[in-house]
Every structure is written in C-alpha cells, then in structure tokens.
Amino acid sequence: MWCPGCGIGVMLGALLRSFEELGYDCRDTVVVTGIGCTGKSDDYLVTHALHTTHGRALAYATGIKAFNPKLKVVVIMGDGDSVTIGGNHFLHAARRNMDLTAIIINNFNYGMTGGQFSGTTPSGAITQTSFYGNPERGIDICALAEVAGANYVARGTPYHVWELKTNIQEALSKKGFSVVEIYSPCPTHFGKNNQMKETRQMLHWLKEKGLPVKDYNRLEPSQKEGCFAVGKLVDRDEPDFNTRYEAVRARAMAPKGLRNGDTQ
C-alpha cells in the first residue's frame, strides 16, 4: 500500500499490538482517518472505521465521542491532515480535551500529492514547492498539543519501535485528548530532496537526532538545534470534555433552587 521505507506500516503494527494487548474490542472501537498517505490505514482494520474529508478527521471524531462517550475513538492522520489543513480542529480538540487518541504520522511534507511543503516542513528544507528552501518555520506538533490542553503527548519514530508501542498504549489508556506524533521517513519525496535518498539514511537520521527526553533536556539551547526529544512529554489528568459537559447538564437538570446561580 505504501512506498518502501515509509513509517506508516511500523506505526500501524504498533497500534494493532497495542489494541490486542489492551484488550480492545472491534465492536466498540472506532478508527477515523482523513486524506493523505495515512488515509488508507483503516483498510487493514476490522474495527468500525470512518474515512473522512481532508483535515476534518478530528471534527468527525469529536462528534462520535460526544454522541457516544462509551466508544474508544482513535484518529490516524498525517501532518497535513492534522495541523496544516486541519489545524483549527486540532487546536479545539486539544482545548476541549476530547477523550480521543490522535496518532499523527509526520513526514514533513504532503507525500501523497507529490511532496509539497506542509505546516511541519522544517525551515530551509527542500520540497517540490520550495526548491530553494522553505522560508517558513515548521509547527512543533507536540508543543502545540501541550499548550492547547492535551492530557498526554508523546513523540516516537519507527527506529524506536518498542518505545513507540509503549507510548501508544499509554495514550490509549489516558482519559482526555492524547497525541502520539511519529516522525516518519519519506524516502520518495522529503528524503530524496534533502540528501537522504535511502530509507537507511532517514532511519539513521532519526536514530542520531532523536534523544530520550531526559537527555534532550540536558542539552544547551545551541546543542538542541536539529535534535528532537523522543518519549513521553506531557502526562496530566485534567477533566475531559464529556466529564465537564455532564457536570453542566447535572446543574441544568437540578430542581430550581439547587442550581448554581439560583437566588433562592
């Protein structure tokens, strides 16, 4: 299905092993996808699935979870689907702290449509639409998720596959909005244009630059340039949207005189 060397298959393997080890049941699990290289992921699953329009996967997933909070809802997206075209929905899903798990493959470009630059393409990187270097700065998906209010945030790579499975399991088990970003090789476009034509070169780059969180945090600011932290970045337990909504509904349904704001 995917180009040789792509990291989506590794992600999907880690997700399926997590489903099995956590005892997920296909009857109450919904996987939502959008458009792009990740959009065909649900073809390999026997769970409920919803294939949506570009950039709107989180909006559909929010509706599913709000309507039926008992369902386990997982959203698989790329960097274009999640924070470029879908950036507004990502921000508000995190702000609301929807009880969803977002699995984001970040290959730093629009791989399916020919390798155009996306919102996460690093500054200076070469793509089909930035022949002389991307003039924009790339979005840090994990930092955005943290400041917007996600309860759990982690980053992994196909090189760190066992740690990736652990992070996905933690995300699936966390109440509230959880995000696992996966830096993925794209030898067909991004790697080819940035002196990493072979998959092994991209995996070596992920191995060399991806550091455990505690090691990354020890670096001086100048040493962090070009490196990135791998592992769990955020873990907190703020109430999710459905919990807050039920509290509001209980107040609204309470007998007159017992509601907040009643004067007598």
Side-chain angles (χ1 to χ4, degrees):
M1 176 68 74
W2 295 288
C3 299
C6 175
I8 294 177
V10 175
M11 173 278 294
L12 199 57
L15 179 63
L16 293 178
R17 284 189 286 273
S18 298
F19 279 171
E20 183 177 14
E21 293 176 17
L22 292 175
Y24 268 46
D25 191 318
C26 62
R27 291 170 295 188
D28 63 359
T29 302
V30 183
V31 174
V32 182
T33 57
I35 301 296
C37 299
T38 57
K40 300 293 285 181
S41 301
D42 53 276
D43 286 2
Y44 294 92
L45 306 176
V46 295
T47 64
H48 297 290
L50 183 64
H51 187 54
T52 70
T53 50
H54 205 181
R56 312 298 178 230
L58 277 171
Y60 284 94
T62 294
I64 294 169
K65 190 67 182 185
F67 179 74
N68 188 349
K70 294 180 180 178
L71 293 173
K72 300 179 177 72
V73 184
V74 179
V75 191
I76 301 176
M77 301 171 285
D79 47 288
D81 217 19
S82 60
V83 298
T84 310
I85 291 178
N88 187 53
H89 299 300
F90 183 86
L91 180 66
H92 291 293
R95 176 182 65 84
R96 294 179 178 126
N97 204 18
M98 295 303 302
D99 188 21
L100 311 169
T101 298
I103 306 293
I104 302 173
I105 287 282
N106 182 4
N107 63 8
F108 308 104
N109 68 166
Y110 283 99
M112 177 170 277
T113 53
Q116 300 87 355
F117 67 82
S118 75
T120 65
T121 301
S123 178
I126 307 299
T127 71
Q128 293 298 323
T129 47
S130 58
F131 294 118
Y132 300 101
N134 180 22
E136 302 177 357
R137 294 177 293 179
I139 296 171
D140 183 333
I141 293 176
C142 290
L144 180 61
E146 178 179 6
V147 299
N151 261 1
Y152 181 91
V153 182
R155 182 186 292 119
T157 83
Y159 180 83
H160 307 85
V161 61
W162 296 115
E163 295 89 340
L164 176 61
K165 188 189 73 169
T166 298
N167 291 140
I168 290 176
Q169 290 187 355
E170 290 176 345
L172 292 171
S173 302
K174 173 63 69 173
K175 186 81 168 174
F177 192 59
S178 56
V179 177
V180 179
E181 178 192 25
I182 300 142
Y183 278 9
S184 172
C186 178
T188 303
H189 295 298
F190 186 81
K192 180 187 69 175
N193 289 321
N194 292 279
Q195 302 180 336
M196 293 181 286
K197 293 183 179 179
E198 303 291 335
T199 301
R200 59 183 172 79
Q201 292 175 295
M202 294 210 75
L203 287 173
H204 180 75
W205 171 65
L206 295 173
K207 173 188 176 184
E208 181 182 5
K209 300 299 182 182
L211 304 176
V213 175
K214 62 180 180 181
D215 294 342
Y216 179 82
N217 289 337
R218 291 194 190 105
L219 298 178
E220 298 295 328
S222 61
Q223 295 174 311
K224 291 180 178 179
E225 187 68 28
C227 297
F228 55 90
V230 173
K232 180 167 60 179
L233 301 168
V234 176
D235 188 356
R236 54 194 173 200
D237 294 299
E238 294 296 322
D240 73 308
F241 170 81
N242 287 95
T243 300
R244 293 175 187 270
Y245 182 81
E246 287 303 318
V248 171
R249 188 165 73 162
R251 288 198 296 273
M253 299 296 290
K256 188 177 180 180
L258 296 178
R259 303 170 191 158
N260 288 350
D262 285 347
T263 55
Q264 62 181 10

